[in-house]
């Protein structure tokens, strides 16, 4: 059942190898299939941490029904402050050595976790981001064959401040990064750029995996989109981001 109190950001004493952090909110149309595709990827010593931000549809009931039959799911009551803080809360409560991020409405490929974990074992990196196929709402039509090609995805802090190519639903990172990325500043746009750039600066490197391990649904309820802001807004957002980044680095030093 949903926890009645927010837990805060204390580190969990109990650990596991892999955690998946999902943020949910009114996702009844898609979340069941997404949870199933995630659980199909996870071994018994893994967990799926879902922070629900006050859904008013059947999202919570769907999660609870699946969770009754699968102890790997932990359902938390989110902070009620929007998607950034909801993801922050899910990440903070993950016990895993490796943390995968998940939206509520995509579909994972069957070998996603296995493939990404192989990269962590073979490469000296603290973050892996893989490619994705963009599909329509019903996952019956391919809209974009490669997110990497569309976004010209690359690693590096400067490149991703200028033009962000980090997409949270395709990312996994080592737990050591939590001390840098939490809390996520209120004033920045999204959490994925924050995680990716901080990893480039303070982690042991990012690795772009040229494998399509996610079906990324496009529909009218998406929290992120592929449109561009006006130039003044883009400049303002980048200045805000850099200011938050400098503050974080100064605090930690």
């Amino acid at each position: 059942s949903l926890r009645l109190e927010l837990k805060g950001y204390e580190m969990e004493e109990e650990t596991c190898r892999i955690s998946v952090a999902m943020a949910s909110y009114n996702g009844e149309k898609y979340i069941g299939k997404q949870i199933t595709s995630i659980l199909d990827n996870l071994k018994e010593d893994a967990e799926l941490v879902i922070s629900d931000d006050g859904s008013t549809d059947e999202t919570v009931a769907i999660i609870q029904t699946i969770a009754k039959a699968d102890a790997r799911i932990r359902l938390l009551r989110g902070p009620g402050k929007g998607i950034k803080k909801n993801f922050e809360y899910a990440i903070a409560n993950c016990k895993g050595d490796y943390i995968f991020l998940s939206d509520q409405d995509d579909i994972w490929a069957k070998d996603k976790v296995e493939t990404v974990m192989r990269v962590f074992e073979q490469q000296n990196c603290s973050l892996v981001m893989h490619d994705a196929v963009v599909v329509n709402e019903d996952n019956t039509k391919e809209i974009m064959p490669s997110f990497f090609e569309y976004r010209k995805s690359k690693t590096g802090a400067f490149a991703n401040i200028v033009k962000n190519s980090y997409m949270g639903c395709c990312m996994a990172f080592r737990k050591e990064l939590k001390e840098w990325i939490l809390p996520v500043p209120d004033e920045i746009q999204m959490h994925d750029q924050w995680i990716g750039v901080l990893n480039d600066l303070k982690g042991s490197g990012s690795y772009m995996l040229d494998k399509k391990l996610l079906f990324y649904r496009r529909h009218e309820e998406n929290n992120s989109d592929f449109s561009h802001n006006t130039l003044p807004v883009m400049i303002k957002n980048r200045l805000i981001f850099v200011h938050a980044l400098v503050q974080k680095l100064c605090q930690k030093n």
Side-chain angles (χ1 to χ4, degrees), residues 33-141:
K33 287 187 177 180
Q34 171 67 318
I35 290 174
T36 299
S37 75
I38 292 170
L39 294 176
D40 286 346
N41 268 266
L42 301 181
K43 296 181 179 178
E44 290 305 312
D45 61 346
E47 64 173 3
L48 169 56
V49 179
I50 306 175
S51 178
D52 186 81
D53 221 26
S55 292
T56 56
D57 63 1
E58 292 300 308
T59 297
V60 170
I62 292 168
I63 298 168
Q64 289 175 328
T65 298
I66 301 173
K68 284 179 182 178
D70 200 312
R72 292 174 293 178
I73 298 175
R74 287 199 290 132
L75 178 59
L76 311 176
R77 186 178 72 178
K81 296 180 179 179
I83 187 170
K84 276 186 315 199
K85 289 300 180 182
N86 203 22
F87 262 113
E88 174 189 284
Y89 187 61
I91 292 168
N93 283 287
C94 285
K95 302 174 183 177
D97 296 326
Y98 297 86
I99 299 170
F100 287 70
L101 301 184
S102 172
D103 291 342
Q104 65 184 358
D105 49 4
D106 302 320
I107 302 173
W108 285 20
K110 293 186 181 299
D111 59 344
K112 171 179 158 97
V113 170
E114 179 184 357
T115 304
V116 170
M117 291 304 296
R118 195 178 304 125
V119 175
F120 277 120
E121 291 164 5
Q122 295 173 350
Q123 305 289 332
N124 182 27
C125 63
S126 48
L127 183 148
V128 176
M129 179 170 145
H130 60 76
D131 202 356
V133 178
V134 182
V135 297
N136 67 344
E137 183 174 0
D138 300 323
N139 192 25
T140 56
K141 180 181 178 182

Side-chain angles (χ1 to χ4, degrees), residues 3 6-16 19 47 74 88-99 173-183 252:
R3 298 186 183 188
L6 300 181
K7 288 195 60 183
Y9 300 118
E10 71 274 10
M11 296 294 289
E12 298 275 1
E13 292 184 8
E14 183 184 350
T15 62
C16 61
S19 294
E47 64 173 3
R74 287 199 290 132
E88 174 189 284
Y89 187 61
I91 292 168
N93 283 287
C94 285
K95 302 174 183 177
D97 296 326
Y98 297 86
I99 299 170
F173 54 87
R174 296 180 189 268
K175 68 177 182 181
E176 289 78 14
L177 198 58
K178 286 170 71 172
E179 68 171 293
W180 283 100
I181 65 177
L182 299 180
K252 294 292 288 183

